[in-house]
Amino acid sequence: MIEPLRDSLTQFISSGNLKPLSAIILTLAAYQFGQFCYQRSNRLMLFHPVVIAGCIIAATLFYFDISYQQYRDGSQLFYFLLGPATVALAVPLYQEFRHIRQLAKPILITVILGATIAAGSAVLLGSVMGAEGEVLRSIASKSVTTPIALGISDKIHGISTLTTGVVVATGIIGALLAPLAFRLCALDDPRLQGIVLGLNAHGIGTAVAFEKNASCGAFSSLAMGLTGAFTALTLPYAIHFFGI
């Protein structure tokens, strides 16, 4: 009885005509359930909607033997919306422009150093653990927001699925550890907290930053955007220079 049900659901999920609709429904349903869990847990990061939704979608794809590429092809709408959503972050940046201009120099230095260390440490740690070639190129952009990371991964011939997983994991871990890091470093300024979240946890960190306040979110958006731009401009050349 279970096998026929599984076969029919698999056909529904992977059907050529229904695949985009079913992928969208799956994504929205998983995210809404994750949002419910997040609110019920009093915003505990372990129950962040991205974590819950990601687990549900991964389990569904695994159980029904659906490849990630099929799911990605069916959910192109969300991938398309990632770009405009990222650009829309310019609104809070504009609102905080006066404060940002005052801190322009230290922000730029922090982002350049942070982005360089983020990519370099990922490649170095991967090399120490025995990773080579495609894997190293795929994890190098781990601290860049998803739409930019996927573009970089394609350009440097990485594995887009691995890049997506590493980027999401980096965002979740960064957002989870950020409160502890802030306490240990006595970092109370929301602007500095925003820079840290945007630089290390990109999109997920920025979402958490906006939950704190608008100023924290604006600085997180700035750090995320600058990190993405700097990495996109420099990483392909660095990969070629070091022969990775």
Side-chain angles (χ1 to χ4, degrees), residues 51-159:
V51 179
I52 300 297
C55 291
I56 292 174
I57 293 172
T60 302
L61 298 183
F62 176 78
Y63 181 76
F64 292 107
D65 195 24
I66 307 296
S67 70
Y68 173 75
Q69 189 60 47
Q70 284 180 292
Y71 170 74
R72 181 177 176 181
D73 291 342
S75 55
Q76 282 299 315
L77 175 63
F78 295 116
Y79 283 91
F80 169 77
L81 291 175
L82 279 172
T86 303
V87 175
L89 293 173
V91 175
L93 287 179
Y94 173 76
Q95 295 172 339
E96 295 288 331
F97 182 73
R98 179 172 60 86
H99 301 292
I100 291 172
R101 184 172 57 183
Q102 295 172 351
L103 298 171
K105 187 175 180 179
I107 288 174
L108 284 175
I109 294 174
T110 301
V111 167
I112 291 172
L113 289 176
T116 302
I117 292 172
S121 62
V123 173
L124 179 61
L125 183 60
S127 299
V128 171
M129 298 181 68
E132 298 178 353
E134 269 189 326
V135 174
L136 294 180
R137 294 193 295 271
S138 301
I139 65 176
S141 56
K142 70 175 183 65
S143 292
V144 181
T145 188
T146 305
I148 300 176
L150 289 174
I152 296 173
S153 183
D154 289 341
K155 186 175 182 61
I156 62 179
H157 307 295
I159 306 170

